[in-house]
Amino acid sequence: MNYIIDDKISKEWVNNNKPKKSIIFYCKYINVQLAEAIINTFKNIFKDESIKIQFVFENNINNFLNGNSQFSAIELIDSFSNIHIKTKDNIETNVLILDDERLINAFSYETFKNLFINCNNTTCVNGYGIETSDRKLIEQFLSRYINNNTNDLNYKQLVDSYINKILELDTSILEYNLYSVVFNCPENCTISPNTIPQFSKFNKAVYDTPESLVSSNIIGITYNQLGQYLEEVGKTDFAYKKYGENHAKFAQLMDFAYIDCDRPRKIHITRLGNIFYNLQQEQQHKLVLYQVFKLDIIKVIVSKVLNDSSFDLSEYLKNYISSSTVDRRRSNIRKIFQFIVDSDIDLARYILEKI
């Protein structure tokens, strides 16, 4: 996945180039990895209410249906009261604009090569991305892509539309859509320790976690508190915290919750998670089925198994997590595929046999 903020555009660079008036994040997709990277890099700036902050992402329900964008990321970004979230149709690249005076096209330079042909004052950012202070180009970009044809986010409408599109599918069409999700751009998937599920029981992770967040009647609960809601008494504080953290992270992957960046970190139910909690059992099952098919690790595994007869899941996981945890994570992944098999999706049965 292409991010505006990347290790190659470091915090040191940001600290040396702080905006004084405004900052615009302009990107096609919005997901948790991007949201956390932006917050961790710019959080001190976000606390300065004198700086105008805009976050513009592509208004396309298909980006959420195929898993490239996440509702939990929107709610995480929106937890900062001074960030104005807007949407735009047909975004082609990721751009960062500081004070309307510096434009950084961190990725997909080719997309805007016509704008850069006669551009003055163009440099690289840490050897990565294109930066310019050319006023003519920046004004042209702002006029064409920012100041016109952007809309305020109607979040309720976006989430409701998403759920309705999934719930109205009959079984055969749902299965076809699930295949489409899985085969959608595995190269856009981000695999990391945080995107490889870790939980005790699948039902507890998927159903009990949103229920605990809703029934707690607390706006934001800690890992420790969630662990106590989910697990029986008699555990240590560390065990409760770790238990809560693992299930919170999976709920975030499922878009049913988001984890803020405060200390201590707190888990919040998302609008999607709240609606999920109130659905009928059959509707819940259909939504869960769709959500697990969107997980990056599921997409990648399906692609690997179907295209590489020698694929070994345990060896693959060792690229991202320690050998001591591979068996537990592999077991979690198999539980997810077993859930899909139990939902009569034939593709999953073949995959499960191979992993």
Side-chain angles (χ1 to χ4, degrees):
M1 186 72 72
N2 287 340
Y3 298 146
I4 298 173
I5 306 304
D6 189 275
D7 290 341
K8 297 174 183 176
I9 301 179
S10 64
K11 290 184 180 181
E12 181 180 355
W13 182 90
V14 173
N15 288 334
N16 293 331
N17 296 274
K18 290 182 179 178
K20 298 179 176 62
K21 299 177 295 184
S22 67
I23 183 168
I24 299 173
F25 302 96
Y26 178 91
C27 55
K28 186 175 184 69
Y29 306 125
I30 176 170
N31 57 38
V32 169
Q33 288 80 20
L34 170 61
E36 289 184 343
I38 287 175
I39 290 169
N40 289 332
T41 305
F42 288 90
K43 58 186 173 184
N44 290 332
I45 295 172
F46 290 169
K47 295 176 183 178
D48 185 348
E49 295 190 359
S50 67
I51 297 177
K52 181 181 178 182
I53 304 169
Q54 288 189 64
F55 192 102
V56 185
F57 71 95
E58 184 173 273
N59 183 28
N60 187 341
I61 191 67
N62 289 325
N63 292 341
F64 293 88
L65 289 168
N66 63 31
N68 286 328
S69 289
Q70 294 174 283
F71 296 115
S72 49
I74 293 178
E75 297 199 27
L76 177 56
I77 290 287
D78 196 46
S79 65
F80 289 84
S81 59
N82 58 331
I83 299 180
H84 189 193
I85 301 179
K86 305 188 77 173
T87 65
K88 186 182 185 304
D89 297 334
N90 302 320
I91 290 180
E92 298 175 315
T93 191
N94 296 334
V95 168
L96 179 67
I97 301 175
L98 305 179
D99 293 330
D100 292 356
E101 296 175 355
R102 302 174 66 188
L103 181 150
I104 302 164
N105 179 210
F107 307 91
S108 304
Y109 167 63
E110 289 296 314
T111 303
F112 290 100
K113 64 182 179 181
N114 291 332
L115 286 178
F116 282 93
I117 286 176
N118 298 312
C119 179
N120 298 316
N121 304 320
T122 300
T123 59
C124 286
V125 180
N126 288 8
Y128 190 70
I130 303 296
E131 175 185 357
T132 182
S133 56
D134 187 312
R135 288 297 305 167
K136 184 176 180 180
L137 182 143
I138 295 172
E139 288 173 2
Q140 185 179 359
F141 185 91
L142 289 170
S143 174
R144 185 183 300 180
Y145 298 103
I146 303 294
N147 297 334
N148 293 318
N149 302 318
T150 57
N151 302 292
D152 289 333
L153 171 65
N154 188 332
Y155 187 58
K156 178 181 182 299
Q157 183 183 66
L158 181 65
V159 177
D160 291 351
S161 175
Y162 175 86
I163 291 177
N164 290 336
K165 280 184 176 293
I166 294 173
L167 297 184
E168 70 187 10
L169 299 174
D170 63 32
T171 304
S172 60
I173 297 177
L174 175 63
E175 183 169 357
Y176 173 80
N177 278 36
L178 294 175
Y179 290 161
S180 299
V181 168
V182 166
F183 294 123
N184 174 66
C185 303
E187 66 272 11
N188 281 344
C189 295
T190 300
I191 306 301
S192 71
N194 287 335
T195 61
I196 301 173
Q198 187 170 198
F199 50 79
S200 58
K201 296 179 181 178
F202 182 78
N203 283 353
K204 183 167 286 193
V206 171
Y207 297 98
D208 293 358
T209 299
E211 180 181 358
S212 298
L213 293 173
V214 173
S215 61
S216 70
N217 292 318
I218 302 174
I219 300 177
I221 64 175
T222 64
Y223 291 150
N224 187 289
Q225 289 172 318
L226 179 59
Q228 292 182 44
Y229 279 116
L230 293 174
E231 189 58 295
E232 65 271 13
V233 298
K235 302 292 184 181
T236 65
D237 283 346
F238 176 80
Y240 280 131
K241 180 180 178 181
K242 193 62 182 174
Y243 197 84
E245 179 180 0
N246 290 341
H247 288 76
K249 287 180 177 178
F250 188 67
Q252 181 168 257
L253 289 175
M254 294 287 287
D255 249 358
F256 294 156
Y258 77 90
I259 303 169
D260 65 29
C261 293
D262 293 339
R263 290 292 182 268
R265 303 191 75 172
K266 296 184 179 67
I267 313 105
H268 305 255
I269 192 76
T270 60
R271 177 172 179 80
L272 182 67
N274 218 322
I275 294 174
F276 167 75
Y277 170 73
N278 289 291
L279 291 176
Q280 297 177 357
Q281 186 175 357
E282 182 179 343
Q283 293 175 316
Q284 284 186 331
H285 183 93
K286 183 180 285 189
L287 184 57
V288 170
L289 182 60
Y290 199 96
Q291 294 304 102
V292 296
F293 257 87
K294 294 197 311 176
L295 297 177
D296 282 356
I297 190 66
I298 300 301
K299 290 184 183 180
V300 168
I301 289 172
V302 171
S303 177
K304 295 284 188 183
V305 169
L306 295 181
N307 292 289
D308 182 1
S309 60
S310 64
F311 175 71
D312 185 303
L313 178 57
S314 295
E315 291 301 314
Y316 177 77
L317 293 177
K318 289 177 184 178
N319 294 316
Y320 304 98
I321 56 178
S322 65
S323 298
S324 61
T325 63
V326 163
D327 287 345
R328 291 197 299 274
R329 301 287 187 105
R330 177 175 174 269
S331 174
N332 289 156
I333 291 169
R334 285 182 56 83
K335 288 175 183 176
I336 294 174
F337 275 104
Q338 186 61 59
F339 168 80
I340 302 172
V341 168
D342 293 341
S343 303
D344 295 325
I345 305 297
D346 291 336
L347 174 67
R349 185 172 289 104
Y350 174 78
I351 302 298
L352 186 59
E353 292 173 355
K354 300 295 183 179
I355 61 172

